Amino acid sequence: MKNKKFMQKICMLLVAAAALWGCKENVDTSARYVFKYDTILSYLEEHEDYSTFVDLMKDVKISFMSESTVGQLMSARGHYTCFAPTNNAIQEYLDTLYKEDPTLLSAPSFDAFYDEHKLDSIKRVIVCNSIIDSEMSEAYETANFPELDKAEFPLANLNDRKLTIHRPANHPDSLYINDVCAISSTERDI
């Protein structure tokens, strides 16, 4: 009986040793990637001048069938080009809306819209018109912008509209989206 118990213990030890010896994990470390740069959202959050746009991105849904926001999308890695409007640019847009149609809002503010659906629509226009999903290709840098004045970007923005680039002949370093939105010369290609 003692011999039988002794043999059982030896067998258990051998099985345990074989199991431990056979369970070796070889992790392929060549495919590891550490993201070193800002996402679009993290960059904009670090700059107060874009705080209104950040708030809008966190509020606007990617689509009507999704609960995910554009802000969540911009917090992930991907190939997106964002022409982020500053707080002043958004305020100028609200001022223009108020002057052109005072029946839309009672003051140039997001809190002053009479109709919540129109408010949502305006927020969506601001956010989705500012972002191009470059899909599998790289995000646009100024060097890849269309060369010709008034030329369209090959890919549409998140509102499924194509943006154009304006290159004034008398100011070769100036760039405008859709003729009116200036691209900052100091905050390009970030």
Side-chain angles (χ1 to χ4, degrees), residues 170-188:
N170 54 345
H171 298 291
D173 290 335
S174 296
L175 298 172
Y176 293 85
I177 299 298
N178 290 353
D179 288 330
V180 293
C181 302
I183 298 176
S184 168
S185 60
T186 59
E187 295 187 65
R188 295 179 182 172

Side-chain angles (χ1 to χ4, degrees), residues 35-94:
F35 192 65
K36 301 175 192 173
Y37 306 104
D38 283 324
T39 62
I40 289 174
L41 183 66
S42 66
Y43 174 82
L44 295 174
E45 285 176 328
E46 292 172 4
H47 296 82
E48 180 60 32
D49 203 27
Y50 299 106
S51 61
T52 303
F53 187 66
V54 167
D55 291 342
L56 293 176
M57 284 195 310
K58 290 179 178 179
D59 191 37
V60 173
K61 305 281 190 260
I62 293 171
S63 74
F64 299 108
M65 299 174 8
S66 174
E67 287 300 310
S68 298
T69 66
V70 175
Q72 290 169 320
L73 184 64
M74 295 298 107
S75 70
R77 288 180 282 167
H79 300 288
Y80 299 97
T81 300
C82 181
F83 301 106
T86 62
N87 295 344
N88 288 340
I90 292 172
Q91 187 58 53
E92 284 181 34
Y93 180 62
L94 290 173

Side-chain angles (χ1 to χ4, degrees), residues 65-165:
M65 299 174 8
S66 174
E67 287 300 310
S68 298
T69 66
V70 175
Q72 290 169 320
L73 184 64
M74 295 298 107
S75 70
R77 288 180 282 167
H79 300 288
Y80 299 97
T81 300
C82 181
F83 301 106
T86 62
N87 295 344
N88 288 340
I90 292 172
Q91 187 58 53
E92 284 181 34
Y93 180 62
L94 290 173
D95 292 342
T96 301
L97 287 176
Y98 176 66
K99 288 175 189 168
E100 289 178 358
D101 187 4
T103 63
L104 183 63
L105 58 167
S106 61
S109 165
F110 288 115
D111 297 328
F113 275 79
Y114 295 118
D115 183 336
E116 190 172 325
H117 295 292
K118 289 182 180 177
L119 168 63
D120 291 342
S121 178
I122 294 298
K123 287 179 177 182
R124 183 164 191 75
V125 163
I126 293 169
V127 171
C128 293
N129 281 349
S130 303
I131 300 169
I132 296 175
D133 181 354
S134 300
E135 299 164 356
M136 298 308 290
S137 60
E138 292 295 317
Y140 289 109
E141 292 185 5
T142 52
N144 317 53
F145 283 8
E147 289 293 320
L148 299 174
D149 187 34
K150 312 287 187 195
E152 288 183 338
F153 284 87
L155 298 170
N157 62 23
L158 295 183
N159 251 356
D160 203 26
R161 293 197 165 93
K162 293 208 175 174
L163 303 176
T164 60
I165 188 74

